[in-house]
Amino acid sequence: MLTVHHLNQSRSHRVIWALEELALPYEIVHYQREKNMLAPESLKKVHPLGKSPVIEDNGLILAESGAILEYLQETYDAESRLKPLDPAHKVQYRFWLHYAEGSLMPLLLMKLVFSSLGKPPVPFGIRTLGKALGQGVQKAYLNPQLETHARFIDSHLAKNSWFAGEALSMADIQMSFPLFALLARGGIANLPHIQAWKQKVESSPGWQRTLQQGGPLTIPGEE
C-alpha cells in the first residue's frame, strides 16, 4: 500500500487528491509544523530533505510534488484518465506541471517572506525597517510580476475548461496549491476564470474526499 507523509499547511494535499482520483489504496502519516512553521525533524527520517510531500511505494521513497504526480500517473494510470492523449494538450500538460513550482511558487514564496518582515519573529527593533523594505520590494517587483502571471493564467483558463484540455489532469492537481495561494494572498482582483476553475475543483468529489482524508487546506500567510 502507498504511504503519504502529509504535513499540515503544505503541498501534500495534491498527492492525496491524485490518489483519490486514481482510486488507489493508501495510508497517511500526519505531521504538524513546528511553531517556527518548519517541518518537524521526524520527516528527515523519511527523506533527507525533511520536506513534504513524500510517498513510499514498494520500497521507493519519492519527494517533490511534480515527480510524485508523474510517477503515479505513469505507474497507475494505464487508461490515461489524468493525462491527455491529444498532442497539443500534452504540451500544455507538461508546461503547467513544471510552471507551477518553477515559475509561480517562487514568486508566492517571496511574497510571503517579504510581507512578513514587519512581524514576529523579526526582532522588534527592526520591524519598521523590515516592513518598509518588504513593502518596497512587493510594490516594485513582486506585485507586478504576480499580476502578469495571474493574467496569463486567467487568459489560458478563459479558453480551456481545465489546464490541459477538456478534462481534469495532473496539471490541474499540480496547479491547485499555487492558485489557491495566489487567490488567498496575491491581492489581485478580477480573475473570473481562475475563480471559476477553483469552484469546479472545490465542488469535485475527488477534492472533497481529499479534504476528508487530509484535513482542511490552509495556506501559510493566508489573509
Side-chain angles (χ1 to χ4, degrees):
M1 181 181 290
L2 279 150
T3 299
V4 181
H5 294 272
H6 174 54
L7 177 67
N8 70 311
Q9 294 191 30
S10 79
R11 306 166 200 187
S12 50
H13 274 81
R14 294 185 290 197
V15 175
I16 299 173
W17 185 12
L19 292 168
E20 287 293 335
E21 294 293 343
L22 292 170
L24 292 173
Y26 65 93
E27 62 180 4
I28 300 176
V29 180
H30 292 269
Y31 300 83
Q32 293 292 314
R33 291 185 181 275
E34 306 288 355
K35 290 182 179 180
N36 60 9
M37 294 305 295
L38 296 177
E41 285 292 314
S42 54
L43 262 174
K44 288 186 177 179
K45 297 178 181 178
V46 182
H47 189 280
L49 292 178
K51 300 285 181 71
S52 178
V54 175
I55 64 166
E56 293 184 66
D57 185 28
N58 295 318
L60 171 71
I61 298 176
L62 186 62
E64 289 294 337
S65 300
I68 293 170
L69 297 186
E70 287 195 278
Y71 169 79
L72 293 175
Q73 192 284 318
E74 292 171 359
T75 307
Y76 295 108
D77 187 18
E79 298 176 355
S80 278
R81 287 175 290 166
L82 294 178
K83 182 177 181 179
L85 297 175
D86 177 84
H89 292 160
K90 280 185 178 180
V91 173
Q92 291 294 337
Y93 174 87
R94 184 174 292 111
F95 172 79
W96 294 109
L97 272 176
H98 290 272
Y99 169 87
E101 294 293 329
S103 293
L104 185 55
M105 273 308 302
L107 292 171
L108 291 165
L109 180 59
M110 290 173 66
K111 174 84 171 175
L112 176 63
V113 170
F114 280 100
S115 65
S116 302
L117 290 182
K119 306 173 185 177
V122 174
F124 179 79
I126 61 172
R127 285 180 200 167
T128 300
L129 177 61
K131 181 178 180 180
L133 173 63
Q135 290 177 341
V137 172
Q138 290 181 77
K139 182 178 179 180
Y141 175 72
L142 288 176
N143 292 346
Q145 283 290 312
L146 284 171
E147 177 90 21
T148 297
H149 282 259
R151 300 302 169 201
F152 167 65
I153 298 166
D154 201 66
S155 176
H156 176 76
L157 290 174
K159 305 167 190 170
N160 299 272
S161 300
W162 298 93
F163 273 98
E166 300 305 311
L168 174 77
S169 73
M170 288 294 191
D172 296 280
I173 294 175
Q174 178 75 335
M175 284 293 293
S176 61
F177 186 89
L179 278 195
F180 279 46
L182 176 67
L183 293 173
R185 63 175 185 250
I188 302 169
N190 191 27
L191 299 172
H193 305 291
I194 295 178
Q195 290 284 5
W197 174 88
K198 181 174 182 280
Q199 290 171 5
K200 283 195 301 183
V201 168
E202 291 177 328
S203 63
S204 68
W207 179 252
Q208 292 174 10
R209 293 193 303 271
T210 297
L211 296 182
Q212 291 172 1
Q213 296 298 322
L217 175 63
T218 52
I219 306 293
E222 191 168 8
E223 297 175 353

